[in-house]
Amino acid sequence: MSSSDDTLPHPQAECSSPPPNQSQIQLPLLIHQLSFNQDSTCFSAVTDRGFFVFNTEPYRPLICRDFESGLSLLSMLFRFEVFVLVGSSYSPSPSAAATNTKALLWDDHASRCIGELSFRSPIRSIRLRRDTIVVILLHKIYLYNFSDLKLLHQLETTSNPKGLCEVSQISGPMLLVCPGLQKGSVRVENYGSKKCKFINAHSSNITCLALTHDGRVLATASSKGTLIRCFNTLDGTLIQEVRRGADRAEIYCLAFSPTAQWLAVSSDKGTIHVFSLKADSVVLGDDRSTSALESPLSNQSALSSLSILKGVLPKYFSSEWSVAQFRLPEGSRCIVAFGQQKNTIMIIGMDGSFRRCQFDPVNGGQMTQMEEHNFLKQEEHFPSWNEDS
């Protein structure tokens, strides 16, 4: 464990920082982070000079801010005009900005910083709830009360360079999932029951996590990137296992639909997969038997046509495969979320692309692209920002 993580971070009620530069953001822009908000009604893009926020349905620009020295991370809370911005300072020094040791609570309506959390090691990611700020470091996770930045809890993880952590979003006690202390394990911290559970999800390192809004269902992927597993967080049982493919892949994103009927997966192979799940029975409180929940092969409609031979052939041939797919160039780095329109997903890429696609829940196959935009073309989205002040 890094010794720098042992120092208790201290919050500041106020912090001094200049307002964003109300001038044109110059091209080209380098994207550091893309993320959807908690209900996927907005997405943000953090660049080397500031950030954008876009509405998803309908697609339209909302906010464009230039902080000159740039940011590394941003987390937004639903549609509130309060953000948590990550960077060591607003100094123009590139070396200072690279350390990413400060989390700044930014009130965009007032255009000022209203709080600050300082750390001695780089911040890997931020997760927000209406009542909690979660800061993820390499070996530790800190939880703060949103209203006064009071430290609520801290916990240790195995090395977590990607800042993997997800939290439930419904009102009431929080459920948090993060990497455990052993390779391939996931820690489930239930603040309602005050119980901690470890799920041995994979034999390889965990590289991606997703959680339903109510926190009842967890999806995991490992460094192999071939199998995605879904677990009941309440008892740790395996609900379902689906197969992305046979060869290794880096999983970029896992995303549940609101009812957990579907799971979307993006990877460096360039194909977006949508899987049919039975996890919605857990979310909706269906009293299904434990044996059915533990069987990863009970959803026959999603099985390979060779599943009848699953007792003879290798497990590969009896895996559950995706219902629908959408293909991008191999290596395309993107994240996905489900749209409010039925059977639609949204894809945002590090190349500045926004796509909305529709899939056929019955026949499956290739998705249909409904629209495509380039959100880095701010001369189209923010024309007033190109005018001389």
Side-chain angles (χ1 to χ4, degrees):
M1 183 177 66
S2 171
S3 60
S4 61
D5 287 353
D6 291 336
T7 303
L8 188 67
H10 60 280
Q12 298 178 9
E14 296 288 339
C15 59
S16 59
S17 61
N21 182 11
Q22 304 295 313
S23 61
Q24 176 184 356
I25 297 182
Q26 302 173 357
L27 288 175
L29 293 174
L30 176 64
I31 299 177
H32 294 306
Q33 179 210 26
L34 293 173
S35 60
F36 288 96
N37 68 343
Q38 290 81 356
D39 58 7
S40 303
T41 58
C42 299
F43 75 89
S44 61
V46 175
T47 75
D48 51 348
R49 295 191 182 97
F51 69 90
F52 301 100
V53 176
F54 285 82
N55 193 72
T56 56
E57 297 185 67
Y59 170 86
R60 61 184 175 88
L62 295 176
I63 298 174
C64 177
R65 298 289 180 261
D66 181 1
F67 282 91
E68 293 188 341
S69 60
L71 303 170
S72 60
L73 298 170
L74 175 148
S75 189
M76 57 190 303
L77 181 63
F78 292 94
R79 299 180 69 88
F80 295 106
E81 292 185 86
V82 175
F83 304 90
V84 176
L85 311 177
V86 174
S88 64
S89 69
Y90 288 105
S91 165
S93 167
S95 60
T99 57
N100 307 333
T101 57
K102 290 185 179 181
L104 304 175
L105 195 59
W106 179 261
D107 183 340
D108 196 70
H109 181 74
S111 192
R112 69 186 185 97
C113 183
I114 57 175
E116 179 180 306
L117 294 166
S118 297
F119 302 86
R120 295 213 175 173
S121 62
I123 299 170
R124 304 293 173 159
S125 66
I126 300 282
R127 295 292 181 267
L128 298 181
R129 277 171 45 107
R130 286 184 170 88
D131 54 0
T132 312
I133 298 175
V134 183
V135 181
I136 301 95
L137 307 183
L138 183 62
H139 292 282
K140 278 201 172 181
I141 296 178
Y142 295 96
L143 285 71
Y144 297 90
N145 189 42
F146 209 123
S147 61
D148 58 9
L149 299 185
K150 178 183 178 181
L151 182 66
L152 301 174
H153 190 218
Q154 57 181 301
L155 50 92
E156 295 183 5
T157 69
T158 186
S159 181
N160 188 14
K162 290 188 174 183
L164 300 178
C165 181
E166 299 297 336
V167 295
S168 59
Q169 292 296 334
I170 61 173
S171 60
M174 179 173 65
L175 189 140
L176 178 149
V177 295
C178 64
L181 295 174
Q182 304 296 325
K183 181 174 69 173
S185 72
V186 178
R187 177 173 183 162
V188 179
E189 196 76 26
N190 190 324
Y191 289 91
S193 64
K194 298 182 180 180
K195 292 182 180 179
C196 175
K197 180 182 293 294
F198 290 89
I199 298 174
N200 294 320
H202 299 270
S203 59
S204 304
N205 289 324
I206 302 295
T207 58
C208 202
L209 297 172
L211 197 63
T212 54
H213 276 220
D214 64 2
R216 290 192 181 189
V217 183
L218 162 71
T220 65
S222 74
S223 56
K224 290 183 179 180
T226 54
L227 296 173
I228 314 298
R229 294 186 173 123
C230 295
F231 298 90
N232 183 335
T233 59
L234 301 181
D235 58 18
T237 56
L238 177 66
I239 301 171
Q240 192 171 355
E241 179 181 272
V242 298
R243 180 174 290 276
R244 180 213 54 81
D247 52 346
R248 282 180 173 266
E250 180 181 357
I251 303 297
Y252 293 142
C253 179
L254 301 173
F256 284 104
S257 64
T259 61
Q261 181 183 4
W262 308 102
L263 178 72
V265 180
S266 68
S267 73
D268 62 354
K269 296 302 181 182
T271 302
I272 311 300
H273 294 272
V274 172
F275 296 90
S276 176
L277 299 182
K278 57 178 174 290
D280 58 326
S281 63
V282 179
V283 177
L284 298 176
D286 185 71
D287 190 20
R288 202 174 279 192
S289 68
T290 302
S291 60
L293 287 176
E294 290 177 344
S295 171
L297 303 175
S298 60
N299 186 356
Q300 296 297 323
S301 64
L303 295 182
S304 162
S305 60
L306 297 176
S307 63
I308 191 171
L309 301 175
K310 63 178 179 289
V312 179
L313 297 176
K315 189 176 182 180
Y316 170 84
F317 292 102
S318 59
S319 297
E320 300 187 42
W321 295 82
S322 58
V323 171
Q325 308 83 32
F326 185 80
R327 284 176 168 69
L328 298 168
E330 186 167 346
S332 299
R333 194 174 187 92
C334 62
I335 63 173
V336 295
F338 284 87
Q340 295 175 341
Q341 298 179 48
K342 192 173 183 180
N343 304 325
T344 61
I345 66 167
M346 300 171 290
I347 308 168
I348 52 176
M350 296 294 281
D351 59 354
S353 61
F354 171 91
R355 293 179 174 90
R356 191 187 321 278
C357 302
Q358 188 169 45
F359 62 93
D360 187 327
V362 177
N363 299 314
Q366 294 301 309
M367 301 184 213
T368 302
Q369 180 170 299
M370 302 168 66
E371 60 179 304
E372 180 179 4
H373 306 276
N374 185 338
F375 59 78
L376 291 183
K377 290 185 177 180
Q378 63 269 32
E379 67 274 10
E380 298 178 5
H381 300 310
F382 303 96
S384 61
W385 286 64
N386 292 325
E387 299 174 359
D388 295 332
S389 56

